Amino acid sequence: MASAIALTATSCGGDSEPEIIDNSTTNVNVTINGHKFVDLGLPSGTLWAETNIGASTPYEDGDYFAWAETKPKSRYSLDNQKSNVNKYKDGKTTLDAADDAATANWGSSCRMPTNSEFEELYSCCSWTWLTSYVGIGSHGFIVTGANGNSIFLPAAGECESEGDFSYRNAHGLYWSSSRVRGKDCDYAGIGAYNLYIRHETDPDVAGIIED
């Protein structure tokens, strides 16, 4: 079975020394390792990236990753899956930093969100589907925190087996760093939690097979 591929949203626990940005003219609150993050006023204090990894603006899709891999590929299938995923089949529940696409690409202060952080993002923010973000035409959800700040999650679809992109502007899948097993997977087997977004459907944090 080919791996299911998703973009990586990025979060930061806030334990670094961020550069504070004047929020009177921009939605961005801090810059960490050259990347912009937004404070959504969440109870945990988690900061969320303004863009996906590999994107220069919020409306761009960015790069696609297999879970536990840190570089995009031209083709995604079981025969080119990295061997490091095997170490998560025997009890590990969270990605190591070396296998975290956010940490590998953006530095040690950044990481992929956990399943709990996705659940907090869903429950503590308002979600509004847009069919043309800032008039560009990119579909996805504006996620607005109680403090009025927001991020945009593009519906970037997925990349399957032979590098074929599908469902752009229809749905999106965002990997978490959290492993899931058994009954919580969408399919039988071992998978990882992801945030699933789709037009006219409430966002869902669920397990999905990836190997």
Side-chain angles (χ1 to χ4, degrees):
M1 179 177 177
S3 298
I5 308 304
L7 291 164
T8 306
T10 309
S11 62
C12 174
D15 56 357
S16 62
E17 295 294 331
E19 174 191 355
I20 303 300
I21 304 297
D22 179 3
N23 198 40
S24 62
T25 57
T26 177
N27 192 46
V28 176
N29 298 103
V30 299
T31 296
I32 301 171
N33 297 341
H35 302 284
K36 297 176 181 179
F37 285 77
V38 179
D39 179 3
L40 296 171
L42 298 171
S44 68
T46 300
L47 305 177
W48 285 81
E50 182 191 46
T51 67
N52 287 319
I53 297 171
S56 58
T57 64
Y59 56 80
E60 293 176 1
D61 295 342
D63 293 331
Y64 295 71
F65 298 87
W67 195 81
E69 297 188 19
T70 60
K71 295 183 182 300
K73 301 184 288 191
S74 60
R75 184 174 64 87
Y76 296 85
S77 64
L78 290 178
D79 64 7
N80 73 353
Q81 186 180 61
K82 301 297 183 183
S83 60
N84 60 348
V85 74
N86 294 324
K87 66 183 177 183
Y88 297 98
K89 295 182 177 180
D90 296 318
K92 275 184 175 287
T93 58
T94 305
L95 277 175
D96 291 339
D99 303 321
D100 186 309
T103 304
N105 288 278
W106 284 11
S108 60
S109 297
C110 306
R111 56 176 174 77
M112 292 166 57
T114 64
N115 180 51
S116 295
E117 287 168 338
F118 272 140
E119 290 177 338
E120 179 187 55
L121 186 71
Y122 171 64
S123 62
C124 295
C125 296
S126 63
W127 293 65
T128 305
W129 179 267
L130 297 181
T131 56
S132 184
Y133 177 69
V134 296
I136 299 298
S138 181
H139 297 204
F141 273 102
I142 282 280
V143 183
T144 306
N147 62 4
N149 289 342
S150 62
I151 58 173
F152 178 68
L153 297 178
E158 58 191 274
C159 182
E160 299 176 338
S161 60
E162 300 301 320
D164 295 326
F165 294 90
S166 57
Y167 303 109
R168 272 180 168 151
N169 285 330
H171 75 216
L173 295 161
Y174 287 80
W175 283 131
S176 79
S177 61
S178 305
R179 199 75 160 127
V180 62
R181 296 170 180 271
K183 64 181 179 63
D184 289 328
C185 286
D186 284 346
Y187 308 99
I190 304 171
Y193 283 107
N194 70 90
L195 174 69
Y196 174 68
I197 63 173
R198 182 182 179 185
H199 176 42
E200 295 182 347
T201 302
D202 286 339
D204 181 40
V205 180
I208 188 168
I209 196 71
E210 56 74 39
D211 55 4

